């Protein structure tokens, strides 16, 4: 019922739990004092032995108890809020820090939708666990003992019966916990799967519409939603049944204590005031545990969510280097590099590629041959490679990730543009850039004239730059990369799926950059790599051929065959258009 690791992780939250329990205990003591005063007055009224001062004292005590209860409830709400807010902040910080340690390769460990769900819904469950469940748990232990120690002087028999019946509620809670743990784990698994499907279908809605597959996916989501509805109903049924059991135990225990108190009074062993006191306080033995039971089901959700959170926090982290990048004019040398994704065969097999400083090197080959995998390794996204990758004389694996990203810029075919202004997206690469520098970068990619017809640098972008064309998005991403001004640039299919004008502009910029930077160009179109200092032709994770364009054409191998095939297709396309 208590998640030890969670409590240790958030140990400084104990003060809020202590404050919460103490406030509840003072409220209980005020209530006991009020009831003793009230029952004593009633007994005097029955005996006609009261005085006016007795009424005044009792009324004053009742008013004081109500004021204390009101103030205490306000403080309890405040303590719950502070505990919950702190817990949520700390857990989200832990998740965020873990993401940073996993780095760009986090997707190989977990799905984005699961991270979003844990950081949002999962963490929210912790608020009730720390803000209400844990304080109530400790108060539920303290309250019956306090009542017993006080009421034992009134009627030890009735007090003992009430105390003996109290453990029946936690016993029922433990039984429910054992039955619910597996059910709630399954509930969270189905919930995470539904969230993952929803996010994926939402992001791929355009593709689903194009292929008329939206109805099929809708039916699949309906089936998943139906499974989630069924598991939810099972959880609710379990909660209602356990609540009923706890109600029977609570009311039955209170009734048993009341019956004993009444019998003791009838036998003359307990005064009327004593019997009334036990009758009025009998329920207080069980109410704290009954309330704990109502929080328990939410707490079980919280504990199930914490299991998911800790499973994420316990994911193995890639080894982080600590060396600095000292020479910005160094090259990259790959020797016999092998790499395989998790639980899969190697996608790179003994690959050796050299990128001398100031050179333009190209990787070509059919889809799936390992070109983008090399880009991922060099940018630090793909970890745990085998072989050697040297940055000058330093091993890539020993480099600090932030140092690597300060010196290597990757421009992919799907570079992400954030919702906001053009200026905000550009300043990610160079926060201190002047307006003239931003505009100069846009001029280089031939985008400034278009933006001036909009709102200039203040032009608002939708998510992923959806209000720009594909070519405009890619040119804006390139402008951002130019502002980053690193010694090494990797262009990973940066010209795919865009218009000819944008493609030609990007290739021109790459050739200009190659005069002062080290460039790795990955392209599906061989016409774009003709001017490269060296071209590596890859096939099935291996380097099949290498050399300049002229040398590869003279080899009469796979490169020449692919080049001529593309050339013939392009010429045919031009002839059809003419």
């Amino acid at each position: 019922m208590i998640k030890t690791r969670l409590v240790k992780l958030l140990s400084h939250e104990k003060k809020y739990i202590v404050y919460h329990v103490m406030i509840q205990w003072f409220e209980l003591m005020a209530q006991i004092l009020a009831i003793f005063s009230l029952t004593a007055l009633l007994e005097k009224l029955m005996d006609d032995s009261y005085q006016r001062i007795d009424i005044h004292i009792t009324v004053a005590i009742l008013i004081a108890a109500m004021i204390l209860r009101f103030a205490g409830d306000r403080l309890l709400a405040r303590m719950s809020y502070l505990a919950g807010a702190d817990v949520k902040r700390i857990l989200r910080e832990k998740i965020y820090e873990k993401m940073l340690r996993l780095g760009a390769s986090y997707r190989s460990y977990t799905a984005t939708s699961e991270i979003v769900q844990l950081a949002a819904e999962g963490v929210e469950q912790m608020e009730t666990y720390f803000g209400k469940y844990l304080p109530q748990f400790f108060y539920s232990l303290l309250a019956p003992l306090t009542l017993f120690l006080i009421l034992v002087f009134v009627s030890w028999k009735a007090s003992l019966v009430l105390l003996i019946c109290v453990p029946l509620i936690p016993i029922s809670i433990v039984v429910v916990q054992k039955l619910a743990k597996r059910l709630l784990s399954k509930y969270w698994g189905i919930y995470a799967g539904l969230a993952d499907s929803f996010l994926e279908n939402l992001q791929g809605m355009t593709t689903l519409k194009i292929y008329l597959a939206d109805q099929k996916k809708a039916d699949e989501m309906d089936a998943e939603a139906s499974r989630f509805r069924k598991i939810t109903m099972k959880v609710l049924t379990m909660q209602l049944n356990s609540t009923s059991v706890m109600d029977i135990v609570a009311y039955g225990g209170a009734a048993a204590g009341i019956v004993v108190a009444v019998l003791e009074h009838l036998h003359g062993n307990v005064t009327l005031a004593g019997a009334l006191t036990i009758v009025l306080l009998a329920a207080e033995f069980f109410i704290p545990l009954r309330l704990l039971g109502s929080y328990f089901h939410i707490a079980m959700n919280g504990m199930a969510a914490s299991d998911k959170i800790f499973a994420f926090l316990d994911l193995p982290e890639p080894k982080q280097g600590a060396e600095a990048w000292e020479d910005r004019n160094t090259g990259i040398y790959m020797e016999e590099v092998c790499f395989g994704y998790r639980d899969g065969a190697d996608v790179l097999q003994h690959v050796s590629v050299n990128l001398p400083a100031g050179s333009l090197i190209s990787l070509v080959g059919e889809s799936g041959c390992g070109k983008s995998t090399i880009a991922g390794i060099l940018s630090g996204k793909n970890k745990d490679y085998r072989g050697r990758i040297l940055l000058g004389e330093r091993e890539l694996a020993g480099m600090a990730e932030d140092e690597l990203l300060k010196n290597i810029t990757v421009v992919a075919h799907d570079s992400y543009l954030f919702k906001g202004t053009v200026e905000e997206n550009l300043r990610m690469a160079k926060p201190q850039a002047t307006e003239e520098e931003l505009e100069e970068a846009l001029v280089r990619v031939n985008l400034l004239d278009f933006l001036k017809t909009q709102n200039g640098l203040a032009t608002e972008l939708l998510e992923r730059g959806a209000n720009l064309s594909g070519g405009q998005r890619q040119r804006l991403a390139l402008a951002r990369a130019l502002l980053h001004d690193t010694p090494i640039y990797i262009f990973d299919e940066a010209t795919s799926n865009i218009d000819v004008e944008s493609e030609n502009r990007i290739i021109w910029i790459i050739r200009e950059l190659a005069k002062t930077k080290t460039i790795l160009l990955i392209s599906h179109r061989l016409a774009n790599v003709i001017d490269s200092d060296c071209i590596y032709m890859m096939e099935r994770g291996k380097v099949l051929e290498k050399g300049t364009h002229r040398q590869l054409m003279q080899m009469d191998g796979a490169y020449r065959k692919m080049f001529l095939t593309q050339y013939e297709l392009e010429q045919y396309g031009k002839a059809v258009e003419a």
Side-chain angles (χ1 to χ4, degrees), residues 415-430 438 457 459-462 464-465 476-477 479-481 483:
S415 296
Y416 200 95
L417 295 177
F418 292 85
K419 184 178 180 181
T421 65
V422 169
E423 181 176 356
E424 289 168 346
N425 274 270
L426 291 177
R427 287 194 183 279
M428 290 178 186
K430 191 175 182 181
L438 299 180
L457 290 171
T459 300
E460 289 286 339
L461 300 180
L462 299 178
R464 292 181 174 270
L476 181 57
R480 183 172 61 189
L483 283 166

PDB file of all heavy atoms in Angstrom, residues 415-430 438 457 459-462 464-465 476-477 479-481 483:
ATOM      1  N   SER A 415      12.953  17.930 -41.349  1.00  0.00           N
ATOM      2  CA  SER A 415      13.357  18.804 -40.246  1.00  0.00           C
ATOM      3  C   SER A 415      12.126  19.459 -39.633  1.00  0.00           C
ATOM      4  O   SER A 415      11.237  19.933 -40.346  1.00  0.00           O
ATOM      5  CB  SER A 415      14.326  19.878 -40.742  1.00  0.00           C
ATOM      6  OG  SER A 415      15.517  19.284 -41.211  1.00  0.00           O
ATOM      7  N   TYR A 416      12.103  19.510 -38.313  1.00  0.00           N
ATOM      8  CA  TYR A 416      10.898  19.960 -37.600  1.00  0.00           C
ATOM      9  C   TYR A 416      10.859  21.480 -37.493  1.00  0.00           C
ATOM     10  O   TYR A 416      11.834  22.116 -37.096  1.00  0.00           O
ATOM     11  CB  TYR A 416      10.858  19.355 -36.191  1.00  0.00           C
ATOM     12  CG  TYR A 416       9.482  19.353 -35.573  1.00  0.00           C
ATOM     13  CD1 TYR A 416       8.662  18.247 -35.661  1.00  0.00           C
ATOM     14  CD2 TYR A 416       8.991  20.478 -34.919  1.00  0.00           C
ATOM     15  CE1 TYR A 416       7.398  18.237 -35.101  1.00  0.00           C
ATOM     16  CE2 TYR A 416       7.731  20.485 -34.362  1.00  0.00           C
ATOM     17  CZ  TYR A 416       6.932  19.363 -34.457  1.00  0.00           C
ATOM     18  OH  TYR A 416       5.675  19.366 -33.908  1.00  0.00           O
ATOM     19  N   LEU A 417       9.723  22.057 -37.870  1.00  0.00           N
ATOM     20  CA  LEU A 417       9.469  23.482 -37.673  1.00  0.00           C
ATOM     21  C   LEU A 417       8.402  23.619 -36.602  1.00  0.00           C
ATOM     22  O   LEU A 417       7.362  22.960 -36.646  1.00  0.00           O
ATOM     23  CB  LEU A 417       8.990  24.140 -38.970  1.00  0.00           C
ATOM     24  CG  LEU A 417      10.016  24.170 -40.115  1.00  0.00           C
ATOM     25  CD1 LEU A 417       9.390  24.772 -41.372  1.00  0.00           C
ATOM     26  CD2 LEU A 417      11.265  24.939 -39.723  1.00  0.00           C
ATOM     27  N   PHE A 418       8.661  24.477 -35.630  1.00  0.00           N
ATOM     28  CA  PHE A 418       7.773  24.618 -34.486  1.00  0.00           C
ATOM     29  C   PHE A 418       6.717  25.688 -34.723  1.00  0.00           C
ATOM     30  O   PHE A 418       6.937  26.651 -35.473  1.00  0.00           O
ATOM     31  CB  PHE A 418       8.580  24.971 -33.235  1.00  0.00           C
ATOM     32  CG  PHE A 418       9.468  23.866 -32.761  1.00  0.00           C
ATOM     33  CD1 PHE A 418      10.736  23.699 -33.309  1.00  0.00           C
ATOM     34  CD2 PHE A 418       9.046  22.986 -31.782  1.00  0.00           C
ATOM     35  CE1 PHE A 418      11.565  22.666 -32.877  1.00  0.00           C
ATOM     36  CE2 PHE A 418       9.871  21.962 -31.344  1.00  0.00           C
ATOM     37  CZ  PHE A 418      11.125  21.802 -31.902  1.00  0.00           C
ATOM     38  N   LYS A 419       5.593  25.494 -34.065  1.00  0.00           N
ATOM     39  CA  LYS A 419       4.551  26.506 -34.112  1.00  0.00           C
ATOM     40  C   LYS A 419       5.077  27.780 -33.456  1.00  0.00           C
ATOM     41  O   LYS A 419       5.615  27.766 -32.360  1.00  0.00           O
ATOM     42  CB  LYS A 419       3.307  26.008 -33.369  1.00  0.00           C
ATOM     43  CG  LYS A 419       2.130  26.957 -33.454  1.00  0.00           C
ATOM     44  CD  LYS A 419       0.920  26.379 -32.736  1.00  0.00           C
ATOM     45  CE  LYS A 419      -0.263  27.334 -32.817  1.00  0.00           C
ATOM     46  NZ  LYS A 419      -1.444  26.794 -32.108  1.00  0.00           N
ATOM     47  N   GLY A 420       4.921  28.890 -34.132  1.00  0.00           N
ATOM     48  CA  GLY A 420       5.459  30.157 -33.657  1.00  0.00           C
ATOM     49  C   GLY A 420       5.821  31.012 -34.855  1.00  0.00           C
ATOM     50  O   GLY A 420       5.311  30.809 -35.959  1.00  0.00           O
ATOM     51  N   THR A 421       6.723  31.942 -34.691  1.00  0.00           N
ATOM     52  CA  THR A 421       7.120  32.814 -35.797  1.00  0.00           C
ATOM     53  C   THR A 421       8.353  32.252 -36.492  1.00  0.00           C
ATOM     54  O   THR A 421       9.067  31.398 -35.965  1.00  0.00           O
ATOM     55  CB  THR A 421       7.432  34.234 -35.296  1.00  0.00           C
ATOM     56  OG1 THR A 421       8.577  34.180 -34.429  1.00  0.00           O
ATOM     57  CG2 THR A 421       6.245  34.825 -34.535  1.00  0.00           C
ATOM     58  N   VAL A 422       8.597  32.774 -37.695  1.00  0.00           N
ATOM     59  CA  VAL A 422       9.807  32.409 -38.436  1.00  0.00           C
ATOM     60  C   VAL A 422      11.041  32.784 -37.621  1.00  0.00           C
ATOM     61  O   VAL A 422      12.001  32.012 -37.518  1.00  0.00           O
ATOM     62  CB  VAL A 422       9.823  33.125 -39.803  1.00  0.00           C
ATOM     63  CG1 VAL A 422      11.190  32.971 -40.470  1.00  0.00           C
ATOM     64  CG2 VAL A 422       8.727  32.583 -40.707  1.00  0.00           C
ATOM     65  N   GLU A 423      11.007  33.954 -37.001  1.00  0.00           N
ATOM     66  CA  GLU A 423      12.146  34.415 -36.209  1.00  0.00           C
ATOM     67  C   GLU A 423      12.431  33.470 -35.045  1.00  0.00           C
ATOM     68  O   GLU A 423      13.589  33.140 -34.769  1.00  0.00           O
ATOM     69  CB  GLU A 423      11.882  35.822 -35.679  1.00  0.00           C
ATOM     70  CG  GLU A 423      13.041  36.388 -34.865  1.00  0.00           C
ATOM     71  CD  GLU A 423      12.798  37.821 -34.432  1.00  0.00           C
ATOM     72  OE1 GLU A 423      11.764  38.412 -34.815  1.00  0.00           O
ATOM     73  OE2 GLU A 423      13.664  38.355 -33.697  1.00  0.00           O
ATOM     74  N   GLU A 424      11.400  33.010 -34.351  1.00  0.00           N
ATOM     75  CA  GLU A 424      11.588  32.101 -33.226  1.00  0.00           C
ATOM     76  C   GLU A 424      12.228  30.795 -33.669  1.00  0.00           C
ATOM     77  O   GLU A 424      13.076  30.230 -32.975  1.00  0.00           O
ATOM     78  CB  GLU A 424      10.248  31.831 -32.538  1.00  0.00           C
ATOM     79  CG  GLU A 424       9.711  33.025 -31.766  1.00  0.00           C
ATOM     80  CD  GLU A 424       8.270  32.846 -31.334  1.00  0.00           C
ATOM     81  OE1 GLU A 424       7.595  31.920 -31.846  1.00  0.00           O
ATOM     82  OE2 GLU A 424       7.810  33.643 -30.488  1.00  0.00           O
ATOM     83  N   ASN A 425      11.827  30.297 -34.842  1.00  0.00           N
ATOM     84  CA  ASN A 425      12.411  29.063 -35.363  1.00  0.00           C
ATOM     85  C   ASN A 425      13.867  29.252 -35.755  1.00  0.00           C
ATOM     86  O   ASN A 425      14.697  28.369 -35.538  1.00  0.00           O
ATOM     87  CB  ASN A 425      11.603  28.565 -36.563  1.00  0.00           C
ATOM     88  CG  ASN A 425      10.419  27.712 -36.158  1.00  0.00           C
ATOM     89  OD1 ASN A 425      10.525  26.493 -36.037  1.00  0.00           O
ATOM     90  ND2 ASN A 425       9.281  28.342 -35.912  1.00  0.00           N
ATOM     91  N   LEU A 426      14.196  30.398 -36.299  1.00  0.00           N
ATOM     92  CA  LEU A 426      15.577  30.661 -36.702  1.00  0.00           C
ATOM     93  C   LEU A 426      16.487  30.857 -35.499  1.00  0.00           C
ATOM     94  O   LEU A 426      17.634  30.414 -35.493  1.00  0.00           O
ATOM     95  CB  LEU A 426      15.625  31.894 -37.611  1.00  0.00           C
ATOM     96  CG  LEU A 426      14.993  31.749 -39.002  1.00  0.00           C
ATOM     97  CD1 LEU A 426      15.049  33.072 -39.750  1.00  0.00           C
ATOM     98  CD2 LEU A 426      15.699  30.661 -39.816  1.00  0.00           C
ATOM     99  N   ARG A 427      15.981  31.537 -34.476  1.00  0.00           N
ATOM    100  CA  ARG A 427      16.817  31.845 -33.308  1.00  0.00           C
ATOM    101  C   ARG A 427      17.162  30.612 -32.482  1.00  0.00           C
ATOM    102  O   ARG A 427      18.014  30.680 -31.596  1.00  0.00           O
ATOM    103  CB  ARG A 427      16.136  32.904 -32.433  1.00  0.00           C
ATOM    104  CG  ARG A 427      16.169  34.288 -33.032  1.00  0.00           C
ATOM    105  CD  ARG A 427      15.814  35.368 -32.017  1.00  0.00           C
ATOM    106  NE  ARG A 427      15.784  36.678 -32.642  1.00  0.00           N
ATOM    107  CZ  ARG A 427      16.863  37.415 -32.880  1.00  0.00           C
ATOM    108  NH1 ARG A 427      18.055  36.961 -32.526  1.00  0.00           N
ATOM    109  NH2 ARG A 427      16.769  38.594 -33.450  1.00  0.00           N
ATOM    110  N   MET A 428      16.511  29.471 -32.760  1.00  0.00           N
ATOM    111  CA  MET A 428      16.923  28.241 -32.081  1.00  0.00           C
ATOM    112  C   MET A 428      18.374  27.906 -32.417  1.00  0.00           C
ATOM    113  O   MET A 428      19.107  27.357 -31.598  1.00  0.00           O
ATOM    114  CB  MET A 428      16.016  27.084 -32.507  1.00  0.00           C
ATOM    115  CG  MET A 428      14.615  27.184 -31.973  1.00  0.00           C
ATOM    116  SD  MET A 428      13.608  25.830 -32.575  1.00  0.00           S
ATOM    117  CE  MET A 428      11.997  26.336 -31.939  1.00  0.00           C
ATOM    118  N   ALA A 429      18.778  28.241 -33.633  1.00  0.00           N
ATOM    119  CA  ALA A 429      20.137  27.939 -34.070  1.00  0.00           C
ATOM    120  C   ALA A 429      21.141  28.969 -33.573  1.00  0.00           C
ATOM    121  O   ALA A 429      22.292  28.632 -33.282  1.00  0.00           O
ATOM    122  CB  ALA A 429      20.182  27.871 -35.597  1.00  0.00           C
ATOM    123  N   LYS A 430      20.700  30.220 -33.451  1.00  0.00           N
ATOM    124  CA  LYS A 430      21.610  31.293 -33.017  1.00  0.00           C
ATOM    125  C   LYS A 430      20.801  32.337 -32.257  1.00  0.00           C
ATOM    126  O   LYS A 430      20.356  33.329 -32.830  1.00  0.00           O
ATOM    127  CB  LYS A 430      22.316  31.914 -34.225  1.00  0.00           C
ATOM    128  CG  LYS A 430      23.460  32.845 -33.852  1.00  0.00           C
ATOM    129  CD  LYS A 430      24.186  33.335 -35.101  1.00  0.00           C
ATOM    130  CE  LYS A 430      25.365  34.220 -34.726  1.00  0.00           C
ATOM    131  NZ  LYS A 430      26.081  34.730 -35.929  1.00  0.00           N
ATOM    132  N   LEU A 438      19.561  37.135 -39.605  1.00  0.00           N
ATOM    133  CA  LEU A 438      18.407  36.279 -39.907  1.00  0.00           C
ATOM    134  C   LEU A 438      17.957  36.482 -41.346  1.00  0.00           C
ATOM    135  O   LEU A 438      17.688  35.509 -42.074  1.00  0.00           O
ATOM    136  CB  LEU A 438      17.258  36.593 -38.944  1.00  0.00           C
ATOM    137  CG  LEU A 438      17.526  36.371 -37.448  1.00  0.00           C
ATOM    138  CD1 LEU A 438      16.279  36.722 -36.633  1.00  0.00           C
ATOM    139  CD2 LEU A 438      17.932  34.927 -37.166  1.00  0.00           C
ATOM    140  N   LEU A 457       9.802  38.398 -40.682  1.00  0.00           N
ATOM    141  CA  LEU A 457      10.285  37.481 -39.649  1.00  0.00           C
ATOM    142  C   LEU A 457       9.204  37.138 -38.638  1.00  0.00           C
ATOM    143  O   LEU A 457       9.296  36.128 -37.928  1.00  0.00           O
ATOM    144  CB  LEU A 457      11.485  38.096 -38.916  1.00  0.00           C
ATOM    145  CG  LEU A 457      12.781  38.211 -39.730  1.00  0.00           C
ATOM    146  CD1 LEU A 457      13.812  39.035 -38.970  1.00  0.00           C
ATOM    147  CD2 LEU A 457      13.343  36.833 -40.050  1.00  0.00           C
ATOM    148  N   THR A 459       6.212  36.308 -39.385  1.00  0.00           N
ATOM    149  CA  THR A 459       5.216  35.417 -40.000  1.00  0.00           C
ATOM    150  C   THR A 459       4.965  34.218 -39.092  1.00  0.00           C
ATOM    151  O   THR A 459       5.896  33.537 -38.667  1.00  0.00           O
ATOM    152  CB  THR A 459       5.708  34.923 -41.375  1.00  0.00           C
ATOM    153  OG1 THR A 459       5.928  36.048 -42.231  1.00  0.00           O
ATOM    154  CG2 THR A 459       4.689  33.989 -42.019  1.00  0.00           C
ATOM    155  N   GLU A 460       3.710  33.986 -38.795  1.00  0.00           N
ATOM    156  CA  GLU A 460       3.338  32.877 -37.914  1.00  0.00           C
ATOM    157  C   GLU A 460       3.352  31.550 -38.673  1.00  0.00           C
ATOM    158  O   GLU A 460       2.839  31.460 -39.793  1.00  0.00           O
ATOM    159  CB  GLU A 460       1.953  33.103 -37.315  1.00  0.00           C
ATOM    160  CG  GLU A 460       1.892  34.213 -36.278  1.00  0.00           C
ATOM    161  CD  GLU A 460       2.519  33.805 -34.948  1.00  0.00           C
ATOM    162  OE1 GLU A 460       2.630  32.583 -34.700  1.00  0.00           O
ATOM    163  OE2 GLU A 460       2.896  34.696 -34.168  1.00  0.00           O
ATOM    164  N   LEU A 461       3.929  30.537 -38.068  1.00  0.00           N
ATOM    165  CA  LEU A 461       3.944  29.192 -38.640  1.00  0.00           C
ATOM    166  C   LEU A 461       3.012  28.290 -37.842  1.00  0.00           C
ATOM    167  O   LEU A 461       2.944  28.382 -36.616  1.00  0.00           O
ATOM    168  CB  LEU A 461       5.356  28.602 -38.597  1.00  0.00           C
ATOM    169  CG  LEU A 461       6.458  29.356 -39.358  1.00  0.00           C
ATOM    170  CD1 LEU A 461       7.781  28.621 -39.193  1.00  0.00           C
ATOM    171  CD2 LEU A 461       6.107  29.491 -40.824  1.00  0.00           C
ATOM    172  N   LEU A 462       2.309  27.431 -38.558  1.00  0.00           N
ATOM    173  CA  LEU A 462       1.511  26.413 -37.893  1.00  0.00           C
ATOM    174  C   LEU A 462       2.432  25.274 -37.461  1.00  0.00           C
ATOM    175  O   LEU A 462       3.629  25.275 -37.776  1.00  0.00           O
ATOM    176  CB  LEU A 462       0.417  25.894 -38.827  1.00  0.00           C
ATOM    177  CG  LEU A 462      -0.605  26.931 -39.325  1.00  0.00           C
ATOM    178  CD1 LEU A 462      -1.600  26.281 -40.276  1.00  0.00           C
ATOM    179  CD2 LEU A 462      -1.332  27.581 -38.152  1.00  0.00           C
ATOM    180  N   ARG A 464       4.616  22.209 -37.449  1.00  0.00           N
ATOM    181  CA  ARG A 464       5.393  21.607 -38.535  1.00  0.00           C
ATOM    182  C   ARG A 464       5.444  22.496 -39.778  1.00  0.00           C
ATOM    183  O   ARG A 464       5.759  22.037 -40.866  1.00  0.00           O
ATOM    184  CB  ARG A 464       4.857  20.220 -38.905  1.00  0.00           C
ATOM    185  CG  ARG A 464       5.061  19.156 -37.832  1.00  0.00           C
ATOM    186  CD  ARG A 464       4.540  17.813 -38.278  1.00  0.00           C
ATOM    187  NE  ARG A 464       4.858  16.772 -37.309  1.00  0.00           N
ATOM    188  CZ  ARG A 464       5.962  16.032 -37.326  1.00  0.00           C
ATOM    189  NH1 ARG A 464       6.860  16.238 -38.276  1.00  0.00           N
ATOM    190  NH2 ARG A 464       6.180  15.108 -36.404  1.00  0.00           N
ATOM    191  N   GLY A 465       5.116  23.779 -39.629  1.00  0.00           N
ATOM    192  CA  GLY A 465       5.137  24.685 -40.774  1.00  0.00           C
ATOM    193  C   GLY A 465       4.113  24.314 -41.824  1.00  0.00           C
ATOM    194  O   GLY A 465       4.367  24.422 -43.032  1.00  0.00           O
ATOM    195  N   LEU A 476      13.497  26.876 -45.212  1.00  0.00           N
ATOM    196  CA  LEU A 476      13.536  27.527 -43.903  1.00  0.00           C
ATOM    197  C   LEU A 476      14.375  26.711 -42.931  1.00  0.00           C
ATOM    198  O   LEU A 476      15.155  27.264 -42.141  1.00  0.00           O
ATOM    199  CB  LEU A 476      12.119  27.713 -43.364  1.00  0.00           C
ATOM    200  CG  LEU A 476      11.989  28.417 -42.002  1.00  0.00           C
ATOM    201  CD1 LEU A 476      12.653  29.789 -42.041  1.00  0.00           C
ATOM    202  CD2 LEU A 476      10.524  28.550 -41.610  1.00  0.00           C
ATOM    203  N   ALA A 477      14.251  25.398 -42.995  1.00  0.00           N
ATOM    204  CA  ALA A 477      15.076  24.528 -42.151  1.00  0.00           C
ATOM    205  C   ALA A 477      16.553  24.685 -42.506  1.00  0.00           C
ATOM    206  O   ALA A 477      17.428  24.669 -41.624  1.00  0.00           O
ATOM    207  CB  ALA A 477      14.643  23.075 -42.321  1.00  0.00           C
ATOM    208  N   ALA A 479      17.912  27.451 -43.765  1.00  0.00           N
ATOM    209  CA  ALA A 479      18.329  28.759 -43.261  1.00  0.00           C
ATOM    210  C   ALA A 479      18.689  28.657 -41.780  1.00  0.00           C
ATOM    211  O   ALA A 479      19.676  29.248 -41.313  1.00  0.00           O
ATOM    212  CB  ALA A 479      17.209  29.779 -43.468  1.00  0.00           C
ATOM    213  N   ARG A 480      17.909  27.904 -41.034  1.00  0.00           N
ATOM    214  CA  ARG A 480      18.201  27.704 -39.617  1.00  0.00           C
ATOM    215  C   ARG A 480      19.524  26.970 -39.440  1.00  0.00           C
ATOM    216  O   ARG A 480      20.322  27.306 -38.557  1.00  0.00           O
ATOM    217  CB  ARG A 480      17.052  26.914 -38.976  1.00  0.00           C
ATOM    218  CG  ARG A 480      17.195  26.691 -37.487  1.00  0.00           C
ATOM    219  CD  ARG A 480      15.927  26.084 -36.909  1.00  0.00           C
ATOM    220  NE  ARG A 480      15.617  24.777 -37.504  1.00  0.00           N
ATOM    221  CZ  ARG A 480      14.481  24.117 -37.303  1.00  0.00           C
ATOM    222  NH1 ARG A 480      13.533  24.646 -36.534  1.00  0.00           N
ATOM    223  NH2 ARG A 480      14.275  22.946 -37.863  1.00  0.00           N
ATOM    224  N   ALA A 481      19.780  25.982 -40.296  1.00  0.00           N
ATOM    225  CA  ALA A 481      21.039  25.232 -40.221  1.00  0.00           C
ATOM    226  C   ALA A 481      22.233  26.127 -40.538  1.00  0.00           C
ATOM    227  O   ALA A 481      23.295  26.007 -39.919  1.00  0.00           O
ATOM    228  CB  ALA A 481      20.987  24.048 -41.182  1.00  0.00           C
ATOM    229  N   LEU A 483      22.501  29.281 -39.952  1.00  0.00           N
ATOM    230  CA  LEU A 483      22.746  30.141 -38.795  1.00  0.00           C
ATOM    231  C   LEU A 483      23.516  29.400 -37.693  1.00  0.00           C
ATOM    232  O   LEU A 483      24.233  30.014 -36.908  1.00  0.00           O
ATOM    233  CB  LEU A 483      21.418  30.657 -38.229  1.00  0.00           C
ATOM    234  CG  LEU A 483      20.759  31.799 -39.020  1.00  0.00           C
ATOM    235  CD1 LEU A 483      19.315  31.978 -38.573  1.00  0.00           C
ATOM    236  CD2 LEU A 483      21.532  33.103 -38.827  1.00  0.00           C
TER     237      LEU A 483
END
